[in-house]
Amino acid sequence: MAENKKKSIKIEISLLNTVEQTNEYLNEILNQVDIARSDLSVSYEFSEQINQDQIEKLIIIFKSNKEAEKFKDYIEITENMERYKFKSVNISQCESELTRRFSTCSTDSFQFINEDKQTEYIEAIPGDCPSFNNMDEDNILPSLPNNSVHTNNILEFYFDKEIRDVDLDIILLFLENLRKSGGGEYVDYTLDSKKRLLNVEYKSHMNKIKVLNKRFLQVKIDSIEYNIIANEPLDIQSFKQNNMVIILRNIQDSWLRDEIINLYAENLVLNDDSSNDVAKIIKSLIFPNTVYVQYKHNFDLELLKKRYEKKNIINKIKIEYLQAFASKIVLVGLFDKNTKPISKDLIEMYFTNKRRSGSNPYLSIHEREPFLLLSYDSQENCEAICSKAHKIGEHELVVECLYNYELFENYIKEFSDSAKINLAEQVKIIENDEKKSEIKNFKEEENKDKEIVQSKDETLYKLIDKNNNQENKVDEKIEPNIEDKPIQDSKKMQEKNLQNMKVEKLEFKKPYFKIDSVKEPKIKLLKNFSYLSEYLAKQLNDVQSSLELNTLNDRLELNCECTHDLPSVLVEYKEVKKKWQIDIENLIKKFFEQFKIENIKIENPNEVLKNVQFDNSKVNLKKLDDLEQNSFYEIAGYDDDVDNLIIKIQEEENSVPLIVDQIEGLKLYQIRILFVVKYIRKLKEKYPNLQVVIKHKSLKISLKGRQKEIDDAKLLCTNILNKINYRDLALGQRETKFVANREVDVLNWLKEKNLECVLMADNDRHLVRMYYIDFEPAKTCKNEIESIIIVREISKELRQGISDEYTRNFIQMHSNDERVYLEEENDVIYLSGFKTNVEELFSEFIRNSL
């Protein structure tokens, strides 16, 4: 016999925070008092304001009274109430042990999964025929153990050993088993080439959450035991900007030795009191010619960028600046500092050992050959780990914070298949790339100089030879190597002969200067404003240089050639060439300093730009995407004109008024049709800044945005409603009651099947009316709903030998079950609902009663 359940403790906290902030506070409190998230149930009550991301009440039900008391004692401390912005705390008892998060209780939230894997929540209204209170497709986060925002149903499973081909199907069955792994039906899976990383996409978001709650899994197949860690896929999109670190590239070793880079880094964020803001400079062990500059304080990013643009060249080498992010990831090489390979298993064991690694074990591990990416709970923890030397036996590990994933991704792409096979050789090649390039350039210059000297000497000896052998003229070709040519004449004779003959002038190659739009983006201005090309050409002509613009693929190249009369003596030629090149480089640099190129995001470009006036002969405005809202534009032109235009755009942006409006007089089935056809999502894709809320209780839609956005929203609503058709389905009495009492479950089923239909029950006529827009989904819906909804009876005869107390407890326990409806009439218990759920519940009744 089932026993009556104990009363549980319910804690209601009044506050006014966003969903994201509330989840962050709650997870922090649970960590402080050492309570698992799986031991409690959480629900929210949202603000009635148009922006329903604000939570007014947080409701928590605990399994254990002891844990509830521990939680209560912690949050009732005055300092904690102020810290977490809690207004009041109310404690009471409730009958059920743990609120079912996705049931049809009046206080519950319900979760739907969109076709695009977005999570939606609605709140049910109490009553005989539950319906929706309000619906919002944005900014509602589920209650997750690691407080991360999940936008898909994919999980990453990392195995401690390679998966055998014969074991893959069994492993997938294990990950699909709800009891064993917490998972469920999956949509797709991918296995990496090393067969240790398996990505599985579940059909239901709840299965993903249940697997994450377990996290550490184990399965044994034919005496082989697989230890598995379940993680979120590596998230590279949500990294926040790190305003205490920057990445500089193309840094020479001599600059570090002579502290040149220290001075440069200090000048980028120089304070008014001239204090040294640089905490330390770390040379990358992985990325060539790269350093990480760590500052003592947060810097002003915009100010740093402006200073970088003004000064980004040292000794004719351009320094590359990259933004750093708080990625919470440590990069560990599968090779040591001597490029000797290290076992992955050794590295994993080392970093799970707190005593050896000096830190708590990593949260997740991701393999990106030839590196391992270890994920931790904070960037500070990562930096603490990387500040220490790590050694396994004779191997000194290569450990580094991953501040910029794009930098790492580009670096990985440079590894060829042969390089991965011979890792040590490839690392040495990468380290010496720049050195080889410099040697090659030096040798090319040296060979050019030798050719010039050789050409001059060959001409000299040819003339001497002609003068000494006038009677016997020889047309033989002179050997290019002057060291092998015998010289018969003395120095005095050579000088005499040269005085008596006219020596031809030597012709040297014209000096030239070249730069493209990759190194200097402002060159594009010469195409935008034709008069600038003429102006620059005139300035170059004054210093005896030509100007030529060439288009190469997607870049623009600027070429200058010297128009000087060049000397015939090599030493003089070199001096003229060097001076000319320096003059041209300085002239072009100074010319482009008066211009600026900025990128700006305009939220409502159609309304803003029609009211902004500017001189298009001095500034050019170019759209960089095809979005109607939050569109990016490139503004290029004279420095002051660019700044003035940005100010005008920002002022106009702020002056565009926001309007609050609503669509009223809608019917219940129309509200639901708008929901299932993803009316809000369609508007958000076109107008991200438009605020839309479907209010089911008051049968209206609230809108807040610009006038054009609201007009388009109303037009789209009208177009959808005008296409609605309906058809009556003759289901049985019990089936109709199920649709009436479990309409949320029915709608959830429709969402899973991607059927844009709505079912409305009519209990009096035992009919279900189906509303739809397209006929084909409606036809599919009709065929499936008639076969999937069934009724099972538990008659009095079937219950012989079963106590009435067991029957009452069974009905009470399952009265709010998902996808099934219980009803007792004339001493018969009717189970109606979806076929699988009804059969399972019927079997449970028979099995537990024995």
Side-chain angles (χ1 to χ4, degrees):
M1 296 297 175
E3 296 181 359
N4 291 330
K5 296 185 178 181
K6 298 179 181 179
K7 291 188 175 181
S8 298
I9 299 296
K10 179 168 70 173
I11 297 181
E12 296 181 348
I13 303 173
S14 298
L15 68 162
L16 189 60
N17 282 330
T18 62
V19 176
E20 184 176 2
Q21 188 69 60
T22 303
N23 273 277
E24 183 178 344
Y25 287 161
L26 181 57
N27 286 334
E28 183 178 335
I29 294 170
L30 294 177
N31 288 334
Q32 291 291 336
V33 297
D34 196 22
I35 297 175
R37 188 79 181 245
S38 58
D39 292 335
L40 49 90
S41 174
V42 181
S43 58
Y44 314 112
E45 286 187 9
F46 292 91
S47 169
E48 289 297 324
Q49 300 173 5
I50 192 164
N51 182 8
Q52 294 191 341
D53 190 35
Q54 296 290 324
I55 296 175
E56 287 187 338
K57 185 177 289 186
L58 175 65
I59 303 169
I60 309 172
I61 298 178
F62 290 83
K63 286 183 178 179
S64 165
N65 292 351
K66 181 179 178 182
E67 290 176 343
E69 289 295 325
K70 186 163 56 171
F71 184 94
K72 175 183 74 72
D73 293 339
Y74 180 82
I75 64 173
E76 284 186 339
I77 299 173
T78 305
E79 292 179 357
N80 291 337
M81 290 285 288
E82 294 174 355
R83 178 183 178 186
Y84 299 115
K85 302 177 183 178
F86 294 159
K87 295 181 180 179
S88 62
V89 178
N90 183 38
I91 302 172
S92 60
Q93 290 186 332
C94 59
E95 293 292 335
S96 60
E97 180 180 340
L98 190 64
T99 302
R100 295 174 64 88
R101 185 168 179 77
F102 301 109
S103 69
T104 52
C105 298
S106 61
T107 58
D108 269 349
S109 295
F110 302 87
Q111 182 192 45
F112 296 140
I113 307 302
N114 278 332
E115 62 183 14
D116 54 354
K117 309 295 187 296
Q118 295 296 319
T119 305
E120 303 173 18
Y121 279 81
I122 63 172
E123 186 178 336
I125 301 173
D128 294 333
C129 185
S131 57
F132 309 128
N133 185 16
N134 56 61
M135 295 178 264
D136 189 358
E137 295 182 357
D138 294 321
N139 302 323
I140 307 298
L141 300 181
S143 202
L144 297 176
N146 59 357
N147 193 32
S148 61
V149 180
H150 300 279
T151 57
N152 55 48
N153 296 337
I154 299 174
L155 276 181
E156 182 182 277
F157 296 94
Y158 190 83
F159 290 73
D160 65 339
K161 53 181 65 68
E162 182 177 322
I163 302 174
R164 298 187 305 174
D165 292 339
V166 295
D167 293 343
L168 180 58
D169 288 338
I170 301 174
I171 289 171
L172 289 170
L173 286 174
F174 169 80
L175 298 177
E176 200 176 18
N177 188 286
L178 177 65
R179 184 174 59 85
K180 295 282 189 180
S181 66
E185 183 180 356
Y186 65 87
V187 178
D188 197 7
Y189 73 91
T190 55
L191 181 64
D192 76 328
S193 58
K194 297 299 178 182
K195 299 186 178 180
R196 291 187 63 182
L197 189 66
L198 178 66
N199 286 297
V200 176
E201 182 180 2
Y202 284 105
K203 189 173 182 180
S204 168
H205 193 65
M206 279 307 299
N207 294 130
K208 175 180 178 177
I209 296 173
K210 289 174 182 177
V211 175
L212 280 174
N213 281 331
K214 291 193 175 185
R215 192 161 182 257
F216 296 97
L217 306 172
Q218 192 177 75
V219 59
K220 192 172 183 180
I221 306 172
D222 295 336
S223 76
I224 296 179
E225 190 175 83
Y226 292 96
N227 293 300
I228 313 167
I229 301 177
N231 293 311
E232 278 288 336
L234 185 63
D235 178 16
I236 62 172
Q237 303 298 328
S238 62
F239 298 162
K240 294 182 180 178
Q241 180 182 304
N242 189 333
N243 281 351
M244 293 184 69
V245 179
I246 61 170
I247 305 171
L248 298 177
R249 307 202 70 198
N250 299 333
I251 304 302
Q252 310 302 303
D253 287 343
S254 60
W255 297 356
L256 292 169
R257 290 193 301 269
D258 300 335
E259 294 191 350
I260 294 174
I261 201 62
N262 294 62
L263 294 172
Y264 181 80
E266 289 173 25
N267 291 344
L268 286 178
V269 293
L270 193 62
N271 287 336
D272 294 336
D273 58 359
S274 301
S275 63
N276 177 12
D277 266 349
V278 177
K280 57 182 173 180
I281 295 177
I282 303 169
K283 183 182 178 183
S284 173
L285 300 173
I286 297 171
F287 309 113
N289 303 322
T290 302
V291 298
Y292 308 116
V293 182
Q294 293 183 358
Y295 291 93
K296 296 177 182 177
H297 315 290
N298 287 333
F299 51 74
D300 185 338
L301 181 61
E302 296 303 319
L303 182 61
L304 184 143
K305 286 182 179 178
K306 287 182 180 179
R307 286 179 173 163
Y308 166 77
E309 289 174 358
K310 290 182 179 178
K311 179 63 178 177
N312 52 29
I313 296 177
I314 297 178
N315 295 340
K316 298 185 180 180
I317 298 176
K318 184 171 182 180
I319 298 174
E320 184 182 353
Y321 157 79
L322 291 177
Q323 196 169 326
F325 297 87
S327 66
K328 304 179 185 178
I329 292 175
V330 170
L331 196 58
V332 182
L334 293 172
F335 52 89
D336 63 13
K337 289 188 177 180
N338 295 321
T339 68
K340 294 181 180 178
I342 311 175
S343 165
K344 285 178 273 193
D345 294 332
L346 279 177
I347 295 175
E348 292 171 24
M349 287 189 291
Y350 177 88
F351 283 98
T352 52
N353 188 310
K354 185 175 181 180
R355 183 179 63 83
R356 285 179 173 265
S357 65
S359 173
N360 290 325
Y362 47 78
L363 299 178
S364 64
I365 184 169
H366 309 268
E367 183 179 348
R368 302 291 186 269
E369 189 179 10
F371 297 93
L372 291 180
L373 281 68
L374 310 182
S375 176
Y376 288 86
D377 56 356
S378 69
Q379 180 72 31
E380 291 75 18
N381 200 5
C382 294
E383 291 175 347
I385 292 169
C386 296
S387 65
K388 302 173 184 176
H390 300 274
K391 198 171 183 181
I392 303 177
E394 63 178 7
H395 298 290
E396 191 172 354
L397 300 184
V398 176
V399 181
E400 202 166 288
C401 284
L402 181 57
Y403 288 110
N404 188 301
Y405 189 85
E406 186 178 355
L407 171 66
F408 169 72
E409 195 172 38
N410 293 335
Y411 180 77
I412 289 295
K413 289 177 183 177
E414 295 175 3
F415 277 83
S416 63
D417 293 337
S418 60
K420 289 179 180 178
I421 295 171
N422 192 354
L423 180 61
E425 182 181 348
Q426 179 63 20
V427 170
K428 289 177 181 177
I429 291 171
I430 292 172
E431 287 177 348
N432 294 325
D433 263 352
E434 184 174 341
K435 197 172 194 178
K436 288 182 179 179
S437 178
E438 290 176 356
I439 292 172
K440 183 180 177 182
N441 293 337
F442 175 77
K443 285 185 175 179
E444 287 178 354
E445 288 292 326
E446 191 178 54
N447 289 336
K448 286 181 182 178
D449 291 342
K450 280 184 178 180
E451 287 174 4
I452 294 171
V453 174
Q454 183 177 322
S455 175
K456 180 177 178 181
D457 289 342
E458 284 176 0
T459 305
L460 173 65
Y461 284 114
K462 189 174 180 180
L463 292 170
I464 293 172
D465 196 34
K466 283 182 180 179
N467 190 55
N468 289 335
N469 301 283
Q470 288 182 4
E471 295 180 358
N472 301 309
K473 295 183 179 179
V474 180
D475 296 330
E476 295 176 1
K477 187 176 180 181
I478 301 174
E479 293 294 328
N481 191 344
I482 63 173
E483 293 179 358
D484 296 334
K485 181 177 177 65
I487 301 176
Q488 304 277 336
D489 302 302
S490 65
K491 186 176 180 181
K492 188 178 287 186
M493 180 61 72
Q494 291 177 16
E495 292 176 353
K496 182 179 178 182
N497 288 332
L498 286 172
Q499 289 174 1
N500 295 329
M501 56 189 276
K502 186 177 180 182
V503 182
E504 298 179 17
K505 274 191 175 182
L506 294 176
E507 293 187 3
F508 298 101
K509 186 177 179 181
K510 293 279 188 180
Y512 68 93
F513 176 83
K514 179 171 66 175
I515 188 171
D516 60 27
S517 56
V518 176
K519 293 182 179 179
E520 178 50 83
K522 296 175 186 177
I523 292 177
K524 294 184 291 185
L525 291 167
L526 301 178
K527 281 287 186 181
N528 296 338
F529 308 106
S530 57
Y531 70 89
L532 289 181
S533 299
E534 299 173 3
Y535 181 50
L536 178 59
K538 185 177 182 305
Q539 290 190 27
L540 291 170
N541 186 59
D542 293 341
V543 291
Q544 295 182 305
S545 172
S546 64
L547 172 65
E548 183 180 1
L549 288 174
N550 297 319
T551 303
L552 302 173
N553 297 327
D554 58 344
R555 59 191 177 91
L556 193 65
E557 188 176 80
L558 185 151
N559 294 292
C560 300
E561 188 176 77
C562 179
T563 57
H564 268 298
D565 291 332
L566 300 176
S568 59
V569 181
L570 179 62
V571 177
E572 295 178 5
Y573 166 80
K574 280 190 167 186
E575 290 179 356
V576 171
K577 176 183 176 182
K578 183 178 180 181
K579 184 178 183 304
W580 180 87
Q581 287 179 332
I582 292 174
D583 289 344
I584 295 301
E585 185 176 351
N586 291 337
L587 186 151
I588 290 176
K589 180 181 177 182
K590 187 176 180 181
F591 177 81
F592 284 115
E593 280 179 353
Q594 60 187 319
F595 302 103
K596 177 187 286 188
I597 298 177
E598 294 282 352
N599 289 342
I600 184 174
K601 183 174 77 171
I602 306 178
E603 292 185 0
N604 301 280
N606 293 333
E607 297 182 34
V608 169
L609 295 181
K610 67 182 181 182
N611 298 321
V612 174
Q613 303 295 326
F614 61 92
D615 187 351
N616 55 16
S617 66
K618 292 184 178 181
V619 64
N620 181 64
L621 188 64
K622 179 183 176 182
K623 192 172 185 179
L624 303 177
D625 52 49
D626 56 357
L627 302 176
E628 293 194 30
Q629 280 195 338
N630 294 331
S631 182
F632 281 91
Y633 284 77
E634 180 187 85
I635 304 177
Y638 284 92
D639 197 318
D640 293 340
D641 294 282
V642 170
D643 290 339
N644 291 335
L645 180 56
I646 291 175
I647 292 172
K648 287 181 180 179
I649 290 173
Q650 291 173 343
E651 290 176 348
E652 187 64 29
E653 189 93 77
N654 295 331
S655 67
V656 177
L658 289 176
I659 298 172
V660 177
D661 203 346
Q662 56 189 15
I663 303 173
E664 297 180 301
L666 299 175
K667 296 180 180 179
L668 184 60
Y669 73 87
Q670 293 175 324
I671 286 286
R672 294 188 182 174
I673 282 286
L674 291 172
F675 190 80
V676 297
V677 300
K678 300 174 183 64
Y679 170 71
I680 293 178
R681 182 169 65 81
K682 289 177 181 177
L683 286 173
K684 287 287 188 179
E685 287 175 354
K686 189 174 183 181
Y687 301 117
N689 301 323
L690 178 64
Q691 297 181 35
V692 188
V693 178
I694 297 178
K695 295 190 174 181
H696 187 278
K697 188 175 181 180
S698 53
L699 298 179
K700 64 182 181 181
I701 300 172
S702 295
L703 303 166
K704 185 177 182 180
R706 269 70 181 185
Q707 186 62 58
K708 184 180 183 306
E709 300 168 357
I710 291 177
D711 292 342
D712 284 0
K714 290 183 175 180
L715 180 61
L716 177 62
C717 178
T718 302
N719 291 338
I720 292 172
L721 299 183
N722 287 340
K723 296 177 182 178
I724 297 177
N725 297 306
Y726 71 88
R727 181 174 180 177
D728 290 330
L729 307 179
L731 300 181
Q733 177 184 358
R734 304 296 171 186
E735 289 88 340
T736 303
K737 282 190 175 183
F738 165 73
V739 174
N741 289 276
R742 291 292 184 268
E743 57 182 7
V744 172
D745 294 328
V746 173
L747 183 58
N748 203 0
W749 176 80
L750 291 169
K751 299 282 279 186
E752 291 173 359
K753 294 290 185 178
N754 291 323
L755 299 173
E756 295 184 347
C757 304
V758 169
L759 299 175
M760 303 288 292
D762 187 342
N763 286 325
D764 296 334
R765 297 193 299 159
H766 307 312
L767 292 174
V768 174
R769 176 161 290 185
M770 177 176 61
Y771 294 92
Y772 61 92
I773 292 177
D774 296 323
F775 176 72
E776 286 303 322
K779 183 179 177 182
T780 304
C781 178
K782 174 185 177 298
N783 294 335
E784 292 204 19
I785 203 73
E786 290 175 347
S787 61
I788 200 170
I789 297 179
I790 66 170
V791 179
R792 292 297 299 265
E793 298 179 5
I794 303 176
S795 63
K796 189 173 181 179
E797 291 77 13
L798 190 61
R799 300 199 307 272
Q800 284 185 359
I802 301 175
S803 69
D804 293 339
E805 184 180 2
Y806 171 79
T807 303
R808 285 195 302 273
N809 288 338
F810 179 83
I811 295 173
Q812 183 180 359
M813 184 183 304
H814 296 285
S815 60
N816 287 323
D817 273 14
E818 299 174 8
R819 302 197 171 197
V820 67
Y821 177 66
L822 276 73
E823 184 181 26
E824 187 175 9
E825 185 177 320
N826 298 328
D827 225 4
V828 178
I829 300 174
Y830 295 96
L831 306 179
S832 60
F834 290 107
K835 185 175 181 179
T836 303
N837 303 81
V838 170
E839 295 292 359
E840 286 180 359
L841 195 58
F842 182 80
S843 300
E844 181 182 337
F845 178 85
I846 301 300
R847 184 175 58 253
N848 292 341
S849 64
L850 298 178

